[in-house]
Amino acid sequence: TPATAWADPTCSIEPREGVTRSLDLVFKNCSPDGQVNLPTIGNARFGSPSMSTNMQVINFKMTRSATLSYPVRATNLGDLIIPSFQVQTTDGTKTVPEARYKVVKARVNSQFPSSAGGGAVQQTIDDVVKAALELEPKEVWAGQVFGATVVVQGLTRYFKGPRWTTPVWRPDDLVLGPWLKYEESRQTFRGQSLSRFDFPVRAMAPIEGGAFDLPQAEIAVVVNTGSRSRDAFDLMFGGRNRVVEINSNASQLKVKPLPATDLPFSGAVGEFELESKLVPGSAGVGEPLTWTVQLSGKGNWPAGIQLPNRQVPEGFEIIQPKSKTEMEGDSPFIGKMIEDVVLIPQKEGTFTLPALEFTYFDPLRGTYKTIKTKPEQITITPAKSRPGVSGLQVPQPGGGLGSQATSKVVPFDGQAQLPYDPLKGENRGGKPLPLWLFFGLVALPWIGFLVWWATLVRKRVIQRDAQRIRREAWTKLQAMANASGDMDASQLREWQRETVRLWEVPYPVPNTQTLSSAVDHHVNSNQSEVWSALWKESEACLFGKEKSLSSDWRPRFAQAMGEVSAPRVPWKGMLRPSAWIPVVMGMILILGEVGVAQEQKSGANYYQSGEFQRTEAESRRQLEENWSNWVAHHNLALSLFQQERWDEAAVHGSIAAVYAPSDATARWNARLLLERAGWDQTKPGILLLSRIWSSWWYLLLPASVWQWLVIFLSLSLASVFCWGLRASYQGSSGGSRTRWILASTLCVALFASGYALQKWGPFSDPGVVMIFKAVGGRSIPSDVDQQTRNIPTGTTAKLRGQFLGWHQIELNNAERVWIREREVVPVYRNLK
């Protein structure tokens, strides 16, 4: 039976109001083979189909059918024609005939009878609910941000509200912001209650003038369609609800081009404010100043608004500015752009930073407007001489006070020690592996070792199995029993040889008596008589007067083989103590990331000239490019040391020593900075301050290299064990002394490497962070009033989460708290 056309050819579709109906493609006594491609229909939209099957038995005749149900919504009134098309079915290619439908207006039955009688009044969807697109204003300037509103209004007794909280509107020529919260209101018109919903949105006009046609907006609403019958259910519950998609009117937007101007206009349209600020108001030579410019307001930010250019007088070195744009919520039209320029004065005197001008177009007044900032005047004094290192409290970044430093370790002549010189160039350090990856690589060689061990044990069990010869003989005899035809003399002699092997007859030329005894030794049944008879007949055929075997000899042999089971392999032998070798944990060495020094411009030159603020700025710039550059950490720590910012200096000095613990300069300066900051009892202090060889030999290599060394030793030890295991199963004693020496050496090296890695403590975790000032840990990432706990300077923790400028850290006691992002310094990677 061929596939039929669309079922229910008399149905009406009400698509203009968004009512979705189901059209069915029915396959009788067949089913679709592959994907069904519907013909293109201009006035209908088809969704993804669902499939169902059905089976009917009428007059003892069974009919199967498969149905593809397509949700369809027409877009125009009139005829909907689905042309004939072909489909691939399990019964070949079938042709679906043409189908025609009538698209009519969706109807709503009145909940109240008409005054003339005769039942309820029928109305269309347009009679009970409508949508409209309103623009404010309808004529705008190029690039202007204006308002648009989709208004949905309907009779309250029918219109139950929007299905979704936002409409669908996709104008190609506009830039839309997020839909704002809709407003709901009610009013009375001609004695009927009306419900109204306003959906506002902000949009940006095109940057070129002209008339633009805007498409319709579409929104799904819930309408009570009622029922033709006035039953008790309708009177009590008010009929039934249906989701209907309605369209608003199309609209046209007129965009006026901006007037010509000679002003330095860059394309900004809207309302803006410009601010300029210089901090501090005065400084000495070499001391950095920050010139901040901020542009804020409401306008066409998506068009790419830029800050005005700045002119800096001679005598200042400029560090490349960084600008950032912050928008208000999800709106792309309200925000601000901030740009900070760091100025480093090179000579003393009084300088004036010129005023800044910014021109934008004000669409409300229809004119250009220029806003200006005030000129900034600054006095640069001679460079200040740096006093000697002291233990006074000094200001910290962010306005707080640092800890009062004390020099607790004075190992030589009682005088405060001085740091070594800064380093030049760039040198990158390695980062430890995550713990899951580290332990996985440690276990991987031993997993391979277990597989190798199991393979050798299996091979050994099979080779040394006492039943192997009997099993091979059983296999050959079973093949003979299954074969057809007569057996010649050579095949019969082969049968005798395999029979001797199967029953393990102790004599090379057995007789019936010895064969019977051997069979009785293996089985407790009458099998010995059967095999003795078979053997006697074979002897008579080979050496007696019989020319051939009897006709029932092969069936009796096949029956005898059917009662004999093949000997099994004793797999339990794999679990014997003699086959077991204990598995030891181990690891692999691949050289970690060892940086190559590259000679380039660094803060070392500025440091030698006494320009410590400039050294700090240059070092921080290098760290922004590459956080693992431990030379930049080292030089930054020295510049902070000279500025008496002990805690920050101790953090970056410790990071440099963690990356390069074998470097004498980095280790010396880190120890000095930790002593000055009073961090001798902190984790980095305990790790780096010891000077006894037995306590600090593990500092010869960083934690990342120790990890790879342990992994390499694990792989090597597993390889030696595999070598010894293979020799043991092969019965070879050659090289045993070498294997014992290698295994002993690798075990000692593996234990030492594991101990060294354990001494690194939290610094073997790639997520370790350090706290450089006393802060209060919080239970939730918020500034609201809540219980806090004090976290002292020098605390080492592990990063466990991030949320909107907050970091969740795990302390040594496994407690987790939230602190601000600016209060932590990562050791191995830049988290900002």
Side-chain angles (χ1 to χ4, degrees):
T1 304
T4 64
W6 301 98
D8 191 14
T10 59
C11 72
S12 298
I13 309 171
E14 307 95 18
R16 192 175 182 186
E17 292 74 23
V19 179
T20 301
R21 288 295 182 90
S22 176
L23 290 180
D24 299 337
L25 181 61
V26 181
F27 298 80
K28 291 184 178 180
N29 294 327
C30 61
S31 59
D33 185 11
Q35 183 177 359
V36 177
N37 296 318
L38 300 180
T40 302
I41 303 173
N43 60 339
R45 299 177 186 174
F46 291 93
S48 299
S50 60
M51 186 173 181
S52 61
T53 58
N54 185 31
M55 181 179 66
Q56 291 181 343
V57 178
I58 301 177
N59 296 329
F60 302 101
K61 184 178 181 180
M62 184 175 62
T63 303
R64 291 187 176 91
S65 65
T67 303
L68 286 178
S69 298
Y70 290 83
V72 59
R73 185 168 69 89
T75 56
N76 300 101
L77 296 176
D79 293 331
L80 174 62
I81 303 175
I82 303 176
S84 175
F85 63 97
Q86 291 184 335
V87 294
Q88 296 294 328
T89 71
T90 55
D91 192 27
T93 302
K94 304 297 181 181
T95 301
V96 181
E98 180 184 277
R100 293 174 175 268
Y101 302 95
K102 185 69 174 180
V103 180
V104 299
K105 280 281 187 179
R107 301 290 181 179
V108 177
N109 297 320
S110 175
Q111 298 180 17
F112 301 96
S114 63
S115 58
V121 177
Q122 290 195 8
Q123 305 178 79
T124 66
I125 294 294
D126 290 339
D127 295 331
V128 299
V129 60
K130 293 183 179 180
L133 176 63
E134 299 179 355
L135 304 179
E136 180 61 36
K138 294 186 177 181
E139 185 175 284
V140 298
W141 294 98
Q144 179 180 348
V145 177
F146 64 97
T149 304
V150 176
V151 180
V152 183
Q153 184 173 264
L155 298 175
T156 303
R157 68 170 179 264
Y158 297 106
F159 177 37
K160 302 306 178 183
R163 180 67 175 84
W164 312 112
T165 56
T166 57
V168 177
W169 187 41
R170 300 184 179 93
D172 296 333
D173 300 309
L174 306 181
V175 178
L176 291 185
W179 289 92
L180 305 178
K181 184 177 181 181
Y182 68 87
E183 297 180 0
E184 180 181 359
S185 61
R186 289 196 178 185
Q187 54 186 332
T188 302
F189 179 73
R190 294 181 180 178
Q192 299 189 79
S193 175
L194 301 179
S195 296
R196 173 174 172 143
F197 294 83
D198 292 358
F199 297 89
V201 67
R202 305 292 292 175
M204 190 185 82
I207 59 176
E208 298 179 356
F212 296 88
D213 294 327
L214 303 182
Q216 298 175 333
E218 186 179 273
I219 186 170
V221 298
V222 180
V223 177
N224 189 326
T225 59
S227 174
R228 294 180 182 273
S229 61
R230 302 301 296 162
D231 54 20
F233 182 88
D234 290 336
L235 293 175
M236 181 176 297
F237 297 103
R240 55 179 181 151
N241 293 333
R242 174 182 290 178
V243 178
V244 180
E245 293 183 4
I246 62 175
N247 296 326
S248 72
N249 59 296
S251 183
Q252 187 179 68
L253 178 68
K254 184 177 181 181
V255 179
K256 299 180 293 184
L258 300 180
T261 180
D262 296 331
L263 297 173
F265 176 64
S266 60
V269 179
E271 300 178 4
F272 298 92
E273 295 181 356
L274 184 65
E275 298 180 8
S276 174
K277 181 173 60 176
L278 185 66
V279 177
S282 61
V285 174
E287 297 179 356
L289 303 99
T290 302
W291 187 10
T292 302
V293 176
Q294 175 178 302
L295 178 67
S296 59
K298 178 174 65 176
N300 58 340
W301 288 98
I305 299 175
Q306 299 294 329
L307 289 171
N309 294 327
R310 284 180 260 189
Q311 300 294 330
V312 180
E314 296 183 0
F316 289 86
E317 181 177 344
I318 304 174
I319 297 180
Q320 183 67 29
K322 287 190 175 182
S323 60
K324 60 179 180 179
T325 303
E326 300 177 358
M327 307 310 297
E328 182 178 306
D330 297 331
S331 174
F333 308 125
I334 305 176
K336 58 184 177 181
M337 179 179 291
I338 305 172
E339 186 178 81
D340 294 329
V341 175
V342 178
L343 306 177
I344 302 178
Q346 304 296 309
K347 59 182 179 180
E348 57 183 288
T350 300
F351 302 89
T352 300
L353 301 180
L356 301 179
E357 296 184 358
F358 181 78
T359 300
Y360 66 91
F361 183 80
D362 188 345
L364 298 180
R365 296 179 176 84
T367 59
Y368 290 94
K369 186 176 181 180
T370 300
I371 52 179
K372 299 181 180 180
T373 63
K374 296 180 180 180
E376 300 282 351
Q377 191 173 34
I378 183 172
T379 301
I380 305 302
T381 59
K384 299 179 181 179
S385 58
R386 301 298 302 171
V389 176
S390 65
L392 299 177
Q393 290 185 327
V394 294
Q396 295 288 317
L401 291 177
S403 61
Q404 185 170 356
T406 57
S407 181
K408 296 186 177 181
V409 180
V410 187
F412 298 113
D413 55 1
Q415 299 294 321
Q417 301 170 26
L418 296 178
Y420 287 175
D421 293 336
L423 302 175
K424 295 183 178 181
E426 177 182 351
N427 207 323
R428 302 181 181 181
K431 182 176 65 175
L433 297 173
L435 295 182
W436 65 268
L437 179 59
F438 171 69
F439 287 113
L441 292 177
V442 168
L444 186 61
W446 299 102
I447 295 176
F449 169 73
L450 288 176
V451 174
W452 176 250
W453 166 78
T455 303
L456 292 178
V457 171
R458 182 180 182 276
K459 184 177 181 181
R460 183 186 182 96
V461 168
I462 294 176
Q463 290 178 346
R464 295 196 174 188
D465 178 21
Q467 301 295 317
R468 179 172 59 87
I469 296 177
R470 294 190 64 226
R471 188 166 52 254
E472 294 175 356
W474 182 91
T475 302
K476 293 181 179 180
L477 290 174
Q478 189 68 40
M480 293 180 183
N482 296 331
S484 60
D486 297 333
M487 297 179 65
D488 55 20
S490 61
Q491 291 176 334
L492 199 56
R493 284 193 292 270
E494 178 68 18
W495 176 85
Q496 286 187 340
R497 285 194 296 269
E498 298 304 329
T499 300
V500 170
R501 298 176 64 197
L502 174 64
W503 299 114
E504 295 180 329
V505 181
Y507 301 98
V509 184
N511 51 34
T512 55
Q513 184 177 0
T514 56
L515 177 63
S516 177
S517 300
V519 174
D520 289 336
H521 176 72
H522 288 284
V523 294
N524 297 322
S525 63
N526 59 352
Q527 289 290 316
S528 60
E529 298 178 1
V530 176
W531 284 93
S532 296
L534 293 173
W535 182 271
K536 186 176 181 179
E537 294 180 25
S538 66
E539 288 282 307
C541 181
L542 289 173
F543 308 107
K545 297 180 179 181
E546 299 294 336
K547 300 299 183 181
S548 62
L549 297 172
S550 61
S551 59
D552 65 341
W553 186 90
R554 186 181 289 275
R556 285 186 289 125
F557 166 55
Q559 182 179 1
M561 284 299 300
E563 298 180 4
V564 179
S565 301
R568 297 183 179 181
V569 179
W571 296 116
K572 293 182 179 180
M574 296 181 65
L575 303 179
R576 291 198 304 266
S578 59
W580 173 256
I581 295 179
V583 179
V584 181
M585 293 292 295
M587 308 181 181
I588 194 185
L589 171 63
I590 298 173
L591 291 178
E593 305 173 18
V594 178
V596 179
Q598 302 175 357
E599 190 68 24
Q600 62 179 22
K601 181 179 179 182
S602 67
N605 298 328
Y606 302 138
Y607 184 89
Q608 298 291 356
S609 303
E611 302 175 82
F612 304 130
Q613 292 87 356
R614 199 169 181 180
T615 304
E616 177 186 355
E618 177 64 22
S619 300
R620 293 190 185 277
R621 184 193 64 78
Q622 293 179 352
L623 291 179
E624 288 181 358
E625 297 176 355
N626 182 11
W627 187 257
S628 63
N629 182 6
W630 64 266
V631 172
H633 283 286
H634 175 269
N635 295 342
L636 175 59
L638 293 183
S639 66
L640 296 171
F641 170 84
Q642 296 293 351
Q643 300 176 61
E644 302 179 3
R645 292 156 63 178
W646 313 119
D647 293 324
E648 279 189 278
V651 167
H652 290 280
S654 300
I655 294 177
V658 166
Y659 275 117
S662 60
D663 187 88
T665 300
R667 193 166 61 246
W668 170 273
N669 289 338
R671 290 171 175 171
L672 173 62
L673 298 174
L674 289 168
E675 292 169 358
R676 292 294 179 91
W679 284 22
D680 52 316
Q681 297 302 317
T682 62
K683 290 290 184 181
I686 296 173
L687 176 70
L688 300 172
L689 285 178
S690 176
R691 290 180 170 84
I692 304 176
W693 165 257
S694 60
S695 301
W696 68 267
W697 62 268
Y698 49 84
L699 296 179
L700 294 175
L701 298 174
S704 58
V705 177
W706 281 119
Q707 279 188 341
W708 287 109
L709 181 59
V710 170
I711 297 173
F712 171 75
L713 293 174
S714 173
L715 177 61
S716 302
L717 186 59
S719 301
V720 172
F721 275 26
C722 289
W723 179 19
L725 190 65
R726 183 174 182 272
S728 175
Y729 278 103
Q730 290 180 346
S732 173
S733 59
S736 59
R737 180 175 297 179
T738 302
R739 289 193 295 271
W740 276 110
I741 294 175
L742 283 176
S744 301
T745 304
L746 290 173
C747 285
V748 173
L750 183 60
F751 174 79
S753 301
Y755 174 78
L757 189 60
Q758 182 270 337
K759 293 293 291 184
W760 276 90
F763 293 99
S764 61
D765 190 308
V768 63
V769 296
M770 299 176 66
I771 314 299
F772 69 89
K773 64 178 180 179
V775 296
R778 297 169 177 262
S779 57
I780 57 175
S782 174
D783 287 322
V784 299
D785 292 337
Q786 57 181 291
Q787 295 293 326
T788 61
R789 59 109 69 220
N790 294 327
I791 302 178
T793 58
T795 298
T796 303
K798 298 177 183 178
L799 181 68
R800 288 294 179 259
Q802 303 179 58
F803 178 77
L804 297 179
W806 292 81
H807 282 344
Q808 187 186 46
I809 60 174
E810 182 178 314
L811 304 177
N812 295 332
N813 61 352
E815 180 183 5
R816 295 191 178 188
V817 298
W818 290 90
I819 62 176
R820 281 290 187 182
E821 177 184 11
R822 60 177 178 270
E823 296 166 347
V824 300
V825 177
V827 175
Y828 291 112
R829 62 181 180 272
N830 193 355
L831 303 177
K832 297 181 180 180

